[in-house]
Amino acid sequence: MGDMRNALIAAAGLLILIGAPPAAATPPPGADEIDSYPIAQGHYSSPTDFYGVFFKTPDGRACGIGPNGGPVGCDAVPIDAPAGTNQTLVTPGVRATYRFSDNPSFTRDVDVLPEGYRLENWGASCGVGHQGTVTCKTYGQHGFVLASTYAVLW
């Protein structure tokens, strides 16, 4: 009986390790570059969204920044994202992640955010960098870099 009890305790410990959230990652080098980008001027709001800011990327992806730091995300994932996901998302205090949504959350009829420009909304920001790469962050703690072929989540 003692061997069985020890095996169950060991298995429970392994489950705890496997189920533990990953350690907080740090932003990749260059993620703060968007802070130096000028704020874009254009049509980036939607009459049906209270204080939301939305944009399209030069290659057609749809992204947005909710009020009070988020949620911040894109109705897009890179080609290496887990199967079944269709959004990249970050919320204040939580590491960025991929998720599935039945409906687009960030797609609106708004302007394209040109390369080298950014948008801000109450503690969160997104910018479009080289070759349409999107960098979004909330309160500087968590965010993501999203390209068509890869993403970095922190």
Side-chain angles (χ1 to χ4, degrees):
M1 185 71 159
D3 289 336
M4 178 65 108
R5 182 171 185 265
N6 289 341
L8 288 173
I9 290 171
L14 181 59
L15 287 174
I16 290 170
L17 288 175
I18 291 171
T26 57
D32 290 334
E33 272 184 32
I34 67 166
D35 295 342
S36 66
Y37 293 173
I39 301 289
Q41 301 298 313
H43 172 68
Y44 298 107
S45 62
S46 168
T48 59
D49 297 287
F50 182 71
Y51 292 113
V53 176
F54 302 91
F55 64 96
K56 294 177 188 170
T57 65
D59 64 355
R61 291 173 284 168
C63 303
I65 309 169
N68 297 319
V72 180
C74 296
D75 289 325
V77 295
I79 59 173
D80 65 349
T85 59
N86 60 3
Q87 292 182 337
T88 306
L89 178 79
V90 65
T91 57
V94 180
R95 181 183 169 125
T97 189
Y98 301 117
R99 74 175 186 178
F100 171 80
S101 178
D102 284 328
N103 299 305
S105 301
F106 305 104
T107 301
R108 303 293 188 279
D109 185 19
V110 293
D111 290 344
V112 170
L113 181 60
E115 184 175 315
Y117 285 86
R118 69 186 163 104
L119 295 171
E120 290 187 348
N121 195 15
W122 299 11
S125 61
C126 288
V128 175
H130 184 64
Q131 296 182 340
T133 299
V134 176
T135 300
C136 292
K137 54 188 181 173
T138 180
Y139 296 119
Q141 298 174 324
H142 298 283
F144 60 85
V145 175
L146 176 63
S148 61
T149 56
Y150 74 93
V152 179
L153 311 175
W154 75 91

